[in-house]
Amino acid sequence: HGEEAIHMGSASALSPQDVIFAQYREAGLLMWRGFTLEQFCNQCFSNDHDLGKGRQMPIHYGCRALNYQTVSSPLGTQITQAVGAAYKFKLDAMNNKEKEAAISIVYFGEGAASTIDFHSACNFAATLKTPMIFFCRNNGYAISTPVEDQYAGDGIISRAPGYGMAGIRVDGNDVFAVHAAVAEARKLALETSAPVMIEAMTYRQGHHSTSDDSSRYRDMDEVQAAQDVTDPILRMDKFLRHYGWMDDDAVSLIEDEERVAVLRAMEAAEARPGPKLDTMFTDVYHEKPPHLLRQETELRQHLKRHDIVYH
């Protein structure tokens, strides 16, 4: 909670053909593109309708049809991959002037900007002049490490000139500012066939994960101040109310409808069976090699020997 403006502001400024390389905080972009509540829940429950066939950790979404690359657990790996995709787009544009232009956009936190992947990606992108956006979500903490202990310079955006890259810092809690920044960055990336960096300043109001207790490393007054002053949902609510486009009744109706929709999607996903056993050995090779055929046979024999029924 607290980073919603980044999701919707940037998603609304992209084109459907643009490829997204997300971390694990950008579910809103996938939702904007049409990923349903049912699809989200199917992935989290790893059932037979999960597009990842139960092979990924929960919230590691991916959807080929929506140009959203599957999330990877190791931080920073998606940054270099996005450069490769953008380079492919550049080659396609050179070879086919009629093809619809596209960029890649990669999301990462300020903590991931300390990885070697970040440096390698920025250097390659700037040198090869790949049409893409580096979107840094600076929410103040890399899990429990505050920004004061992460870098001595002026955030992440100050690194852009060193790579020979255009860059802009934006209020990540203002959905309209984020939209404008991404729209202009996309336009510039395509016009110049070069990367653009965006640093969106925001605040992670919630804990890092369900196993995290952020009160152990930050003052709760700090969190309350963010909730009262900079919360992107609160700011949007005030904006809509100012123009008479939202009131208490409408808010209550939306909240009730969405709560029911989420619960129904979760119940339906939980009731579905797991992926078929066959899928455990597919999609890596075009044809199953001998060692996988042997492993599959051994597994089936093991299940039969111990009278285990896999559903």
Side-chain angles (χ1 to χ4, degrees):
H1 179 46
E3 302 172 7
E4 294 84 355
I6 287 175
H7 297 201
M8 299 308 170
S10 61
S12 58
L14 299 171
S15 294
Q17 68 270 20
D18 296 333
V19 177
I20 296 172
F21 289 80
Q23 203 169 308
Y24 39 71
R25 294 188 178 277
E26 284 75 37
L29 287 103
L30 195 51
M31 183 176 288
W32 175 274
R33 290 197 168 188
F35 209 68
T36 66
L37 288 175
E38 290 74 20
Q39 288 176 303
F40 280 112
C41 291
N42 289 336
Q43 196 282 327
C44 288
F45 282 95
S46 294
N47 62 32
D48 62 336
H49 280 184
D50 171 22
L51 297 180
K53 302 180 182 179
R55 299 163 178 163
Q56 282 283 356
M57 291 176 61
I59 75 169
H60 286 45
Y61 311 111
C63 183
R64 179 183 297 178
L66 299 178
N67 286 321
Y68 191 99
Q69 297 294 318
T70 302
V71 175
S72 180
S73 292
L75 293 181
T77 56
Q78 76 277 15
I79 309 178
T80 49
Q81 294 162 5
V83 178
Y87 189 57
K88 176 62 165 59
F89 289 147
K90 178 175 183 174
L91 296 179
D92 287 346
M94 293 170 59
N95 297 325
N96 185 359
K97 302 296 184 181
E98 304 300 320
K99 188 172 183 178
E100 193 170 15
I103 67 165
S104 69
I105 180 169
V106 59
Y107 294 82
F108 53 94
E110 85 287 345
S114 294
T115 64
I116 189 63
D117 297 270
F118 172 80
H119 166 69
S120 299
C122 288
N123 196 44
F124 267 107
T127 303
L128 296 173
K129 294 192 177 298
T130 57
M132 64 178 297
I133 297 174
F134 289 89
F135 196 107
C136 178
R137 169 194 6 87
N138 192 333
N139 64 19
Y141 292 88
I143 307 182
S144 60
T145 305
V147 292
E148 294 81 4
D149 295 332
Q150 294 183 52
Y151 50 74
D154 182 16
I156 306 303
I157 200 64
S158 61
R159 305 176 191 180
Y163 289 110
M165 191 186 307
I168 184 173
R169 175 176 285 157
V170 64
D171 180 353
N173 297 319
D174 184 336
V175 66
F176 301 116
V178 173
H179 175 91
V182 174
E184 286 302 313
R186 182 182 188 275
K187 180 181 177 182
L188 181 62
L190 288 174
E191 288 179 348
T192 61
S193 185
V196 180
M197 186 180 296
I198 296 175
E199 181 179 24
M201 309 306 291
T202 184
Y203 189 83
R204 192 197 79 212
Q205 295 181 25
H207 304 296
H208 173 75
S209 65
T210 55
S211 61
D212 176 44
D213 179 8
S214 62
S215 66
R216 298 179 64 183
Y217 54 82
R218 63 181 181 179
D219 192 328
M220 288 297 99
D221 290 340
E222 175 186 309
V223 179
Q224 189 61 52
Q227 294 174 347
D228 295 340
V229 180
T230 62
D231 183 275
I233 294 180
L234 178 62
R235 290 171 69 173
M236 174 59 76
D237 181 70
K238 289 183 176 180
F239 173 82
L240 295 175
R241 288 174 186 270
H242 176 76
Y243 286 98
W245 298 333
M246 187 67 67
D247 56 32
D248 290 343
D249 291 338
V251 170
S252 296
L253 179 62
I254 293 172
E255 289 179 345
D256 290 343
E257 288 180 344
E258 291 305 313
R259 185 180 298 107
V260 171
V262 169
L263 290 174
R264 286 178 176 173
M266 290 177 64
E267 291 173 354
E270 187 176 19
R272 294 204 61 82
K276 292 183 178 180
L277 193 64
D278 298 353
T279 62
M280 186 182 297
F281 302 93
T282 58
D283 296 333
V284 176
Y285 300 95
H286 180 65
E287 294 183 2
K288 293 180 188 178
H291 73 279
L292 279 188
L293 290 171
R294 183 174 61 255
Q295 290 176 26
E296 183 175 7
T297 299
E298 290 174 351
L299 175 59
R300 294 187 182 280
Q301 291 174 345
H302 173 82
L303 295 176
K304 183 177 181 180
R305 182 166 57 251
H306 294 279
D307 196 26
I308 299 175
V309 178
Y310 177 84
H311 295 286

